[in-house]
Amino acid sequence: MEIKSVNRSIIIDDMDKKIVHKTNSFYWDTAGNDFLKAIVLPFYGAFVSEEKHQLFGDVSGKKLLEVGCGNGQSLQYQAERNASELWAVDISERQIEKAAQHLNSLGVSAKLICSPMEEECGIPTDYFDYVYSIYAIGWTTDLEGTFCRISSYLKKDGVFIFSWSHPIHRCVTEDNGRFVFKKSYFDEDWYPVAVEGELLLADRKISTYVNALAKAGFVVEHMIEQTDDEIMQSRDNNSDMAKRAKMFPVTFVIKARKL
């Protein structure tokens, strides 16, 4: 798969996008179906929580869209906070099925759509108060296009909140008790990930996300990359992830507003 970098942004042709979509959707339908199930609201990822940072504020009576809904637990969280309308999109048919089953069992209503986030799929424009994504936005094969599409879904002054694995975290490995760089921070090429099953991933620089947001008409209001010490102390403080989080960011979260 040939991938070019143009204007500091990953460019993939249509055939390669189909390969990435097919590979990753199959992974989430099969081996990855229960993976990362702990990364749901109120947690944005390792050691960062909505309960502490309150990025959403009061969502009662608001219309929300989730990009990459997984098993539906983050939608449940928003329903419990009295959101008036819930929508979601996910590339995996199996994850959509799981989300539907989970929400139906709770009596929660949500409009669930199976589609790549990059593509037109019937989501209304100028409609939502919030669009959010918990550890899913990084799977897009077209970051600028996805952000522009998300902007179109939002009302003016609407809020976009997303989290993803911090790019520094993906660059560093442990070697004899020390953390060392295993790849360049500036390398944004797609690569296979060593997991159970086949998975393709690309690590984008923080500046790539920020510049793509600006191009899509967003202004960044808040960014989090620090570790929450209280959450770390309440868990296994000696885990590999905790050791990493003491030294460098493992998760980042951005809140942006549509101008």
Side-chain angles (χ1 to χ4, degrees):
M1 181 171 59
E2 181 182 358
I3 301 172
K4 301 180 292 181
S5 180
V6 177
N7 295 328
R8 300 181 180 272
S9 178
I10 299 172
I11 305 297
I12 311 176
D13 66 29
D14 289 340
M15 180 61 70
D16 289 336
K17 286 181 182 180
K18 291 179 181 178
I19 292 171
V20 173
H21 289 163
K22 182 178 180 179
T23 300
N24 290 345
S25 62
F26 181 77
Y27 174 79
W28 292 113
D29 282 340
T30 54
N33 189 235
D34 293 316
F35 187 57
L36 296 180
K37 57 185 172 182
I39 301 180
V40 295
L41 287 173
F43 296 103
Y44 287 105
F47 314 118
V48 183
S49 73
E50 166 64 11
E51 293 178 346
K52 177 174 181 177
H53 294 284
Q54 297 292 304
L55 298 181
F56 281 92
D58 183 8
V59 300
S60 59
K62 303 298 185 181
K63 298 174 182 177
L64 280 72
L65 166 67
E66 180 171 9
V67 177
C69 65
N71 58 20
Q73 291 188 38
S74 291
L75 290 166
Q76 174 191 346
Y77 177 81
Q78 302 292 18
E80 291 171 349
R81 299 172 73 232
N82 300 314
S84 67
E85 197 170 326
L86 295 172
W87 291 60
V89 59
D90 197 287
I91 196 173
S92 165
E93 292 184 5
R94 180 59 183 137
Q95 294 286 46
I96 288 289
E97 290 172 1
K98 285 185 67 175
Q101 293 169 2
H102 177 67
L103 296 173
N104 288 339
S105 71
L106 299 171
V108 173
S109 175
K111 175 68 173 178
L112 305 179
I113 299 171
C114 185
S115 172
M117 67 183 79
E118 302 91 334
E119 298 180 1
E120 163 60 37
C121 57
I123 296 173
T125 58
D126 300 310
Y127 189 76
F128 296 94
D129 301 289
Y130 293 86
V131 176
Y132 68 95
S133 179
I134 310 302
Y135 258 67
I137 207 71
W139 300 110
T140 181
T141 58
D142 178 5
L143 188 68
E144 289 185 358
T146 297
F147 282 177
C148 286
R149 195 171 291 282
I150 287 171
S151 178
S152 75
Y153 300 149
L154 284 164
K155 301 174 183 176
K156 187 178 184 301
D157 294 324
V159 172
F160 175 34
I161 299 171
F162 70 94
S163 67
W164 185 246
S165 176
H166 199 289
I168 287 290
H169 168 51
R170 300 292 307 180
C171 291
V172 176
T173 190
E174 188 173 3
D175 183 17
N176 293 323
R178 301 182 64 185
F179 290 113
V180 298
F181 273 80
K182 64 180 179 179
K183 67 185 289 286
S184 169
Y185 175 78
F186 305 109
D187 180 4
E188 296 188 317
D189 288 343
W190 288 82
Y191 60 92
V193 181
V195 292
E196 182 182 349
E198 188 176 2
L199 187 62
L200 295 171
L201 186 64
D203 300 319
R204 299 174 174 94
K205 305 184 299 293
I206 293 294
S207 61
T208 299
Y209 288 101
V210 172
N211 291 334
L213 285 168
K215 190 170 183 178
F218 287 102
V219 59
V220 174
E221 291 191 343
H222 197 79
M223 177 175 172
I224 302 164
E225 58 179 358
Q226 67 270 27
T227 298
D228 188 320
D229 290 333
E230 292 181 7
I231 298 176
M232 185 184 295
Q233 292 297 331
S234 68
R235 299 181 181 178
D236 183 2
N237 200 29
N238 294 314
S239 68
D240 177 66
M241 187 64 76
K243 291 177 183 177
R244 287 173 162 263
K246 292 175 185 177
M247 298 294 292
F248 49 83
V250 295
T251 296
F252 76 96
V253 189
I254 289 179
K255 176 180 179 179
R257 189 175 298 274
K258 178 180 176 179
L259 294 174

